[in-house]
Amino acid sequence: MNKKKGRVFSGARPTGRQHLGNYLGAIRNYVALQDDYECIYCIVDLHALTTLEDTSQLREWTYEMALDWLAAGIDPEGRGTILFVQSHVPEVTQLHTLLSMVTPLGRLTRLPTFKEKVRQHPEDVNYGLVGYPVLMAADITLYKADTIPVGVDQTPHLEFTRDIVRRFNQRYGEVLIEPEPEYTDFPKVLGLDGEQKMSKSLGNYIEIAASPDEIEARVMTMVTDPQRRRLSDPGRPEICNVFTLHGYFSAGEVEQIAVDCRHADIGCVQCKKLLAENLAAYFAPFRERRAELADEPGRVWQVLEEGATRASDIASRVMKEVREAVKLP
Ligand code: TRP
């Protein structure tokens, strides 16, 4: 194996079947990083609990998400990537406790990400929610990861992690690694409404595992240029979300589509049909791999268990060092 640049760690909450926003914003980047880095990807079920009262679907969401990731090219078998479920490696909760001792409370309550969560869930501001960034810092440092691919919305959490690592190392000795964020091309993918970010809770999404018929039905509901009421009205591709998606999934045809839209040589319905076809074709190999994986009973859970075993190896070694540094008896 050729020399890899460093160790990547990233986490995502279990949200079930993944949509185009998840794919363009994270998954395809996670897949690409496997070429250059040793990669550890974690389904952060404990983080999900901070804002989730009804946990009845947690297992299913974890399964569906892992299935999508594996089918999309997260590759534990071929490329040595570790894919696992956060709570399967309990050392993270121990490190969380130790990191909490060097975390000033005000540092947490001042975080914009915390304030936003309080705004969204004012009736449930629990202790776990305040500690969310500490748990994230524990995720990262437990695996001595140096490179963290995240969206810019996670900047405060990364800065927090770096800060806590410095405090910890200052008090107990140089044990933990200060990670660097890796902000790659994370486009903000809009939903079918063309206004809000594509998200599961808003229902404005297209699942990457959708069948060609489902894809077409969803694409047909997409909002296009509102000024284009008749077929003969010229369109403005630069403000049309259908066109934005063509940019990702209609390689080689994008420029022609823009010209045809501006000249009203193509109507919105025809333009959407083309997008639906291209999306269905783009994800055809993915759907095939997904079906194969889903067909083997227990396969996904087995991959996740193997991931947890390999993650545990690293975690127990790092925790030994940490315990010694803290001088726990
Ligand atoms: N907070 C991250 C998010 O909402 C998820 C996360 C948890 C994470 N632990 C992490 C991301 C460790 C990167 C590294 O997207």
Side-chain angles (χ1 to χ4, degrees):
M1 208 201 277
N2 46 12
K3 186 102 177 64
K4 302 238 169 161
K5 281 196 234 162
R7 184 176 285 167
V8 155
F9 185 101
S10 196
R13 299 174 187 226
T15 51
R17 289 179 170 230
Q18 303 287 282
H19 54 60
L20 294 181
N22 303 130
Y23 179 76
L24 294 172
I27 302 171
R28 66 176 179 158
N29 184 38
Y30 290 171
V31 171
L33 286 166
Q34 297 177 119
D35 292 340
D36 296 324
Y37 296 87
E38 185 189 335
C39 292
I40 306 180
Y41 297 129
C42 182
I43 300 179
V44 293
D45 55 345
L46 297 173
H47 277 109
L49 294 184
T50 60
T51 52
L52 194 70
E53 254 176 73
D54 177 3
T55 55
S56 56
Q57 280 171 291
L58 207 48
R59 198 176 155 82
E60 181 193 326
W61 288 340
T62 300
Y63 173 86
E64 294 287 341
M65 183 158 129
L67 180 56
D68 275 350
W69 283 22
L70 292 168
I74 301 295
D75 189 10
E77 272 153 29
R79 296 202 268 178
T81 296
I82 297 179
L83 174 66
F84 76 109
V85 177
Q86 186 181 34
S87 70
H88 292 182
V89 183
E91 279 89 344
V92 75
T93 60
Q94 197 179 21
L95 186 53
H96 166 268
T97 300
L98 296 178
L99 294 182
S100 77
M101 308 303 171
V102 294
T103 304
L105 187 55
R107 182 80 178 73
L108 290 171
T109 52
R110 271 197 308 273
L111 283 169
T113 41
F114 174 69
K115 290 185 183 160
E116 176 62 18
K117 291 270 169 66
V118 172
R119 214 180 50 71
Q120 288 168 348
H121 308 267
E123 72 300 331
D124 185 22
V125 183
N126 57 67
Y127 177 52
L129 184 65
V130 184
Y132 183 111
V134 187
L135 184 58
M136 181 162 159
D139 278 333
I140 294 169
T141 52
L142 182 57
Y143 299 99
K144 294 204 170 177
D146 47 37
T147 308
I148 315 299
V150 280
V152 282
D153 62 310
Q154 294 295 310
T155 307
H157 287 158
L158 256 296
E159 273 314 306
F160 170 83
T161 300
R162 291 167 57 84
D163 187 20
I164 292 313
V165 166
R166 286 192 292 267
R167 287 173 198 259
F168 185 94
N169 286 350
Q170 208 165 27
R171 186 178 297 183
Y172 300 116
E174 292 290 323
V175 185
L176 302 179
I177 290 183
E178 228 179 283
E180 298 282 348
E182 153 111 357
Y183 305 115
T184 22
D185 167 34
F186 279 102
K188 184 170 165 197
V189 182
L190 297 180
L192 303 176
D193 48 64
E195 267 173 32
Q196 286 171 287
K197 196 174 149 180
M198 188 176 285
S199 88
K200 185 163 172 171
S201 55
L202 293 171
N204 61 356
Y205 56 83
I206 298 176
E207 288 174 351
I208 58 177
S211 68
D213 285 348
E214 280 170 64
I215 293 175
E216 185 175 315
R218 301 292 264 178
V219 170
M220 284 304 155
T221 71
M222 285 181 74
V223 173
T224 55
D225 181 353
Q227 281 181 20
R228 221 189 153 188
R229 295 210 193 82
R230 266 165 277 130
L231 203 55
S232 54
D233 294 337
R236 296 171 295 169
E238 66 280 1
I239 63 127
C240 180
N241 193 32
V242 172
F243 182 73
T244 306
L245 290 186
H246 272 301
Y248 293 112
F249 299 107
S250 304
E253 296 177 276
V254 183
E255 266 146 51
Q256 193 58 48
I257 294 167
V259 171
D260 290 350
C261 173
R262 284 202 179 91
H263 294 156
D265 287 337
I266 183 177
C268 292
V269 170
Q270 203 186 340
C271 184
K272 288 180 187 179
K273 283 232 158 81
L274 185 60
L275 175 62
E277 271 168 36
N278 290 346
L279 272 171
Y282 184 96
F283 287 105
F286 162 82
R287 285 194 303 276
E288 212 170 293
R289 280 197 299 274
R290 192 180 196 281
E292 276 168 21
L293 278 166
D295 224 30
E296 265 183 72
R299 172 76 185 277
V300 170
W301 289 114
Q302 191 195 331
V303 170
L304 291 173
E305 254 165 59
E306 285 162 10
T309 305
R310 291 173 50 213
S312 283
D313 260 14
I314 304 173
S316 56
R317 261 183 284 133
V318 175
M319 271 321 286
K320 187 164 181 290
E321 270 181 72
V322 167
R323 292 173 54 97
E324 278 167 15
V326 177
K327 308 218 165 33
L328 288 177

